[in-house]
Amino acid sequence: LARDTDRGSAAWVAMCAGLLFAVHPVHVEVVAGIVGRAELICGAGFLGGLLVIMKPLTPWRIAAFAGLMLLSIGGKEQGLVLPGVALAWYLSRRWAGLPSLTSPPPSDQIRTVEALDESASPLPYQARRAAPQDLAKILIIAVALPLAGYLILREQVLGLSMAWPVNLLDPTIQTMRDTTGADRWLIAVALAGRYLHLLVWPNRLAIDYGAVVISPPQEMDDPYLWLGFVAIFLFLLALVHALRARWAAGLTALAGFAFAYGVVSNIPTLIGTVFGERLLFLPSVFFVIYVVLLVQRVLDGRWAKRAVLALFVVLLTLGALRTLTYAWQWNDRLAFYRYQSSVQPDSVRIWMLLADELRQRHRFDEAAVAAERATALEPDYWSHWMLRAKIAIDRGRLEEALEYAEAAVRARTAGNTTTLRAEIEGLIYQRDEAATRPAD
């Protein structure tokens, strides 16, 4: 992408974008958390596929692109949009009048190869190399067949439908589950504002943004809502600029961001979680590329370049320090959950994680206090009532545990809550029965 803009500074553009991506604090969850392996696999296949397809087509590159596409899809559903980004790159180059991926090599290269191979084969070079049109058809088949096979395998054979029932989503993780009307779209706009904040200034980082951090109804005085409108306006402005300038690199970066972010934006359909920093991993690739390309494109002059270089060093240093200090928190679960509860005190899930970790360490009194905080935030959620019941059992307070189990059953009539209540009733019976027997 940088070579299309300025061949002389292509290496600097790539280096700046790569370093900014590497030290961006929003990626800590992907690298430090086990669940982030999905993002890493998807990103590796996605970017590898783009690197392959951005060179002149050959049968081997077509096969590599198809394989990397499947690797990306196997990591995360965002890999499904890889062909769309590749198509956007191809169309943007045609729009800008640049050579396409099916263009034959320059005539001087053809003559050179013919001269080298003249003694080896009587056929001219053009007859021995595959026609660009044939390679394009092979590429379409190599992409369409694996995609069709994946969708059939997932939907028909394994039964893993992408359109899962929304009512089965956890309301504390996907807080948009029951939203209707204007809230369905206003919350999505506010999410865009939160993502823009994390991309530009990630001063507060957390592992959960569910209930009650992000919950309906959407308040009109929420600053993230208006920041979301700003994000949408800036994207449209950038798109208009790239179209008017016939800027292929900028259009490709914007398309990559739009495709990768659209999958996790909760706009076309609801996903498993309302918001997550790890969801920004792939979109942030195209964000930093576009920003660096734009700076390199619009700024000129020695002093301007020196100022940008100084700003880049400052951002790189701040990003590295924030990344290291946040990643350090992940080394101990208990300390990490305590830190998270101070950063995100309105998160039900974080208080439950803290309570469960304290319970596993037999610090039952502290665990009870943390679980009580989760109940205070979301009284109608069944899971923290079950957790409080288990903690009460560990503390030997069986009547209290039965009370919490009954609350869990009232909040959600399900097999696991009913089973827990039955177990507690059995423990109470055994205790009362034992009290009537003489000691042996």
Side-chain angles (χ1 to χ4, degrees):
L1 293 178
R3 284 197 300 267
D4 291 340
T5 306
D6 186 348
R7 292 180 180 272
S9 59
W12 284 99
V13 170
M15 184 190 69
C16 292
L19 288 175
L20 286 177
F21 176 81
V23 303
H24 202 298
V26 81
H27 301 148
V28 171
E29 183 181 358
V30 171
V31 179
I34 294 177
V35 71
R37 300 301 175 265
E39 270 74 21
L40 291 174
I41 294 171
C42 177
F46 203 103
L47 299 179
L50 287 180
L51 288 174
V52 168
I53 207 64
M54 286 181 174
K55 296 181 179 180
L57 284 183
T58 66
W60 284 109
R61 285 176 182 156
I62 292 174
F65 178 78
L68 290 167
M69 178 187 69
L70 291 177
L71 175 66
S72 182
I73 295 173
K76 200 174 182 67
E77 286 83 354
Q78 279 175 309
L80 290 169
V81 302
L82 172 57
V85 178
L87 179 62
W89 172 78
Y90 170 70
L91 294 177
S92 65
R93 289 178 65 84
R94 293 196 62 179
W95 172 258
L98 297 171
S100 67
L101 77 169
T102 58
S103 299
S107 58
D108 58 340
Q109 295 183 16
I110 294 178
R111 286 194 297 270
T112 302
V113 175
E114 285 178 344
L116 291 174
D117 291 350
E118 186 175 353
S119 59
S121 173
L123 295 177
Y125 175 75
Q126 292 91 332
R128 294 196 307 276
R129 88 186 279 274
Q133 295 79 6
D134 295 337
L135 289 175
K137 294 176 182 178
I138 295 174
L139 175 62
I140 294 174
I141 295 173
V143 170
L145 288 182
L147 280 179
Y150 166 80
L151 294 174
I152 293 174
L153 176 65
R154 175 167 178 155
E155 298 281 339
Q156 303 299 325
V157 179
L158 300 178
L160 302 174
S161 176
M162 293 187 183
W164 56 60
V166 175
N167 64 300
L168 297 181
L169 297 174
D170 191 313
T172 65
I173 298 176
Q174 178 46 279
T175 57
M176 295 177 65
R177 189 190 73 172
D178 301 319
T179 54
T180 57
D183 275 344
R184 171 66 179 85
W185 309 109
L186 290 177
I187 293 179
V189 174
L191 296 183
R194 288 180 177 271
Y195 280 126
L196 179 62
H197 175 215
L198 286 177
L199 284 171
V200 176
W201 191 250
N203 58 321
R204 293 182 59 189
L205 298 167
I207 56 173
D208 180 75
Y209 291 82
V212 290
V213 179
I214 300 175
S215 294
Q218 176 60 53
E219 302 293 339
M220 296 304 296
D221 59 351
D222 181 9
Y224 287 113
L225 175 63
W226 299 103
L227 188 59
F229 285 118
V230 171
I232 295 173
F233 171 77
L234 290 177
F235 178 83
L236 294 176
L237 185 65
L239 183 61
V240 171
H241 165 258
L243 287 172
R244 288 176 59 89
R246 294 179 179 265
W247 184 24
L251 285 172
T252 303
L254 291 172
F257 180 84
F259 277 108
Y261 174 72
V263 176
V264 299
S265 65
N266 282 300
I267 294 177
T269 185
L270 295 184
I271 62 174
T273 183
V274 65
F275 188 90
E277 292 170 6
R278 58 187 173 83
L279 305 181
L280 266 183
F281 184 73
L282 188 57
S284 67
V285 172
F286 301 99
F287 175 81
V288 296
I289 289 175
Y290 176 80
V291 170
V292 174
L293 283 172
L294 182 65
V295 171
Q296 185 266 346
R297 180 181 178 87
V298 300
L299 292 183
D300 194 12
R302 179 180 303 177
W303 292 107
K305 291 181 179 180
R306 288 181 178 179
V308 170
L309 180 60
L311 178 61
F312 171 75
V313 172
V314 172
L315 292 177
L316 200 64
T317 304
L318 292 176
L321 290 174
R322 184 68 183 105
T323 294
L324 289 172
T325 54
Y326 183 47
W328 184 262
Q329 300 288 337
W330 288 72
N331 290 330
D332 178 75
R333 283 200 302 272
L334 180 57
F336 179 62
Y337 293 150
R338 288 191 185 280
Y339 168 77
Q340 288 289 305
S341 66
S342 64
V343 173
Q344 204 78 292
D346 293 334
S347 169
V348 174
R349 308 297 303 186
I350 289 176
W351 284 110
M352 290 175 62
L353 288 170
L354 176 59
D356 189 59
E357 183 63 28
L358 289 166
R359 174 177 174 256
Q360 293 182 38
R361 301 190 184 207
H362 301 283
R363 298 164 66 168
F364 302 126
D365 293 340
E366 296 176 72
V369 173
E372 187 177 355
R373 289 290 301 270
T375 303
L377 289 170
E378 191 71 28
D380 296 330
Y381 186 49
W382 63 274
S383 188
H384 56 63
W385 286 113
M386 288 188 63
L387 179 59
R388 293 187 69 181
K390 294 176 182 177
I391 295 172
I393 293 174
D394 295 329
R395 301 173 76 188
R397 303 181 179 183
L398 296 184
E399 283 81 4
E400 186 178 314
L402 182 59
E403 178 186 345
Y404 295 151
E406 293 285 357
V409 171
R410 288 192 299 269
R412 175 182 178 182
T413 303
N416 49 6
T417 54
T418 306
T419 300
L420 178 64
R421 181 179 61 177
E423 291 177 358
I424 296 173
E425 290 176 342
L427 289 173
I428 293 176
Y429 175 79
Q430 294 175 21
R431 183 197 62 183
D432 295 342
E433 186 73 13
T436 63
R437 297 176 182 174
D440 56 21

